[in-house]
Amino acid sequence: MTALPPTDRLWRGFDRAALDHQYDARGTVADYEAEARAYAEDSVAAMTTLDRRADLVFDPASGAALDLYPAAGPGPHPVFVWVHGGYWRALSKQENAFIAPALVAAGISAAVIDYTLAPAATLEEITRQTRAAVTWIHRHAAAHDIDAGRIFVGGSSAGGHLTGMLLAADGWRAEAGLPQDVIKGAVSLSGLYDLEPVRLGRVNDWLGLDAPRARRLSPLHLLPTDPADGCPLIVSYGGSETAEFKRQTDDYLAAWTGHGHPGRFVAMEDCNHFDIARRLGTPGTPLAEAAIRLIRGGG
């Protein structure tokens, strides 16, 4: 791959250094290690206090698995499928169990999925595995007291991109034998929906995208045009995030609603790129309450 000149204006007036700064999520917080510890500690608390069905393999080809945190009481229950972030190359379901407590308390099962990380897997393969998780859940719903007609999805950062790929209108549902409306709603936080600026910066060191692949893998360019193929969407980002992370979400939401699909922004000004996801798993926060209302059918 040809190296990009570091001083050229590559994207919206940003040179390479400025673009790398815009997409440096860790650089937006004072202590990333503290954020990572909070993920791990909250996840350990969830794993040790909630009912957990661990390591359910949903994709035999890769061995990718999910952990299911079933809601208590008579079902079938709706399920929220969480796709973790980590710039496609880091983290796992083990550090993302924190998403489950607020949902389970509200009678919603939570499925936290893994996928093979880059660069060992291409972004196409990571997308395939993420879609395989939804397919598996739909086909095995009855065995886990899940309502196959109430599958919701969400993710943060790279997981927001993969959430967008779950919503994409590129024929994957038909190929998998799923209903077009298999996903009834989505929550996407600080997502990356247009991969062209990502391709132009240091993140491409492990993604290895060229321009055509970046476009084919950009949710912004894969929006369903038929209103019947969309679903309600909630988006958000932290107040301290960079202009480009905010713009990515703003542009995606505008395009989503511009195609006739319901969507709204939930302001989380006091959050950063990392702790916003933990708020989704914390009972009583605006983001958790918005997600629960969406899943319960209240919009």
Side-chain angles (χ1 to χ4, degrees), residues 7 13 18 61 68 78 84-85 87 98 104 124 158 171 198-199 215 225 231 244 253 260 278 284 286:
T7 57
L68 179 67
H84 71 79
Y87 256 142
F98 63 76
V104 172
E124 288 90 344
V198 176
R199 179 186 74 85
R215 187 174 181 87
T225 56
C231 67
E244 272 292 282
L253 178 61
R278 292 194 294 112

Side-chain angles (χ1 to χ4, degrees), residues 58-59 62-66 82-94 96 112-118 120-133 154-163 207:
F58 61 79
D59 182 45
S62 66
L66 62 84
W82 179 250
V83 189
H84 71 79
Y87 256 142
W88 302 282
R89 69 166 182 170
L91 300 179
S92 72
K93 61 184 175 64
Q94 296 295 116
N96 276 260
V112 184
I113 75 168
D114 258 347
Y115 48 84
T116 305
L117 300 175
T122 65
L123 195 49
E124 288 90 344
E125 171 62 11
I126 293 169
T127 297
R128 185 197 68 78
Q129 291 178 23
T130 304
R131 292 169 170 179
S156 180
S157 195
H161 163 265
L162 293 168
T163 297
L207 290 183

Side-chain angles (χ1 to χ4, degrees), residues 88 123 127 131 157-170 188 191-196 213-224 248 252 255-256 259:
W88 302 282
L123 195 49
T127 297
R131 292 169 170 179
S157 195
H161 163 265
L162 293 168
T163 297
M165 293 304 288
L166 289 172
L167 302 179
D170 60 358
S188 191
L192 296 158
Y193 308 102
D194 182 357
L195 297 187
E196 180 60 13
R213 288 178 62 218
R215 187 174 181 87
R216 287 197 302 270
L217 290 161
S218 291
L220 185 65
H221 302 306
L222 300 170
L223 295 167
Q248 287 259 0
Y252 186 69
W256 185 260
H259 281 71

